[in-house]
Amino acid sequence: RGQLRNGLRYAILPNSAPPGRFEAYLELHVGSCEEADDEQGLAHLVEHVTFMGSRKRERLFSTGSKSNAYTDFHHTVYHFHCPLADTAGRPLMPLALDALREIAFEPELLGARIEKERKAILSELQMINTIDYRCSTMHLRQLHADNALARRFPIGRAEQIVAWDATHVRAFHKTHYHPD
C-alpha cells in the first residue's frame, strides 16, 4: 500500500490465479449519491464517456485483455484483466495503468463521444426496465426513504440524460475526478 505525490492511494496484491495475468482497478469515490437533483445519471454518463473515449484503452484490444467499468451509488470503478505481456513479450501493466490514468484524469470528453454514450445509456435504461428492476427500485425506495439511495439510481433519469451538454459532463468530471 502507498500513496503517490498527487494523493492517489494504491494497493498492490498478489494474483496467482489465473497464472500469467494481472488485474488493475481504479476506484473513484463518486457515484449516483454524489449527484445533485438535476444530475441524476451524470456519474454514469461520465463513466461511459471517459472509458469508451480512451484511446489508450484501445491499445489493449488485441492483447487478450478484458476491460469494463461501472457506476454504483457510491463509486465508479474502471478495471482491466490482462496477460502479463503481449505476444512480443512486452509487459502490459504499464499500458493498462496508463489507460487508467487517461480515463480518470486526462479524458478528451469530446462532444461526439458524449452523444454516442448518451444513446447507449438511454438504450441501457430501456433494457433494464424489467419487472425485477422496478421491484428492486421500489424496495430500495422504501428501505432508504430517508436518504439519497431512494432517489439516486445510478442509471439516471432519461429526461435529464437527454438535456446535458458537454459543459455539464466536463464540470462533473472536474468536480469529482481527482486523485486525492
Side-chain angles (χ1 to χ4, degrees), residues 113-179:
R113 175 55 66 186
I114 292 168
E115 290 309 313
K116 189 172 187 175
E117 298 312 318
R118 179 192 326 271
K119 290 175 184 172
I121 290 172
L122 292 170
S123 175
E124 193 178 326
L125 189 58
Q126 289 178 335
M127 286 187 338
I128 67 165
N129 189 17
T130 64
I131 189 67
D132 287 338
Y133 178 76
R134 291 191 303 272
C135 286
S136 293
T137 58
M138 182 182 69
H139 287 118
L140 283 171
R141 281 188 184 109
Q142 290 177 358
L143 288 171
H144 297 283
D146 59 342
N147 65 50
L149 269 74
R151 301 175 309 281
R152 294 288 190 275
F153 296 99
I155 191 71
R157 300 177 58 93
E159 66 273 13
Q160 292 184 19
I161 294 166
V162 298
W164 300 315
D165 61 17
T167 304
H168 293 95
V169 172
R170 290 181 186 120
F172 190 88
H173 181 271
K174 184 177 180 180
T175 300
H176 297 286
Y177 279 59
H178 39 82

Side-chain angles (χ1 to χ4, degrees), residues 96-108:
L97 294 176
D98 195 34
L100 288 171
R101 181 193 51 75
E102 178 196 45
I103 288 166
F105 308 122
E106 296 177 2
E108 292 186 286

Side-chain angles (χ1 to χ4, degrees), residues 39-90:
E39 295 179 329
Q40 294 182 52
L42 193 50
H44 187 210
L45 180 59
V46 170
E47 170 232 306
H48 269 250
V49 172
T50 58
F51 185 73
M52 297 304 289
S54 170
R55 295 175 196 261
K56 292 185 177 183
R57 183 180 70 90
E58 293 174 1
R59 296 185 307 188
L60 295 164
F61 281 177
S62 61
T63 65
S65 298
K66 297 177 183 176
S67 61
N68 210 338
Y70 66 87
T71 300
D72 64 23
F73 290 102
H74 300 290
H75 308 94
T76 298
V77 177
Y78 302 94
H79 54 94
F80 289 95
H81 306 269
C82 308
L84 294 174
D86 64 14
T87 55
R90 292 180 298 251

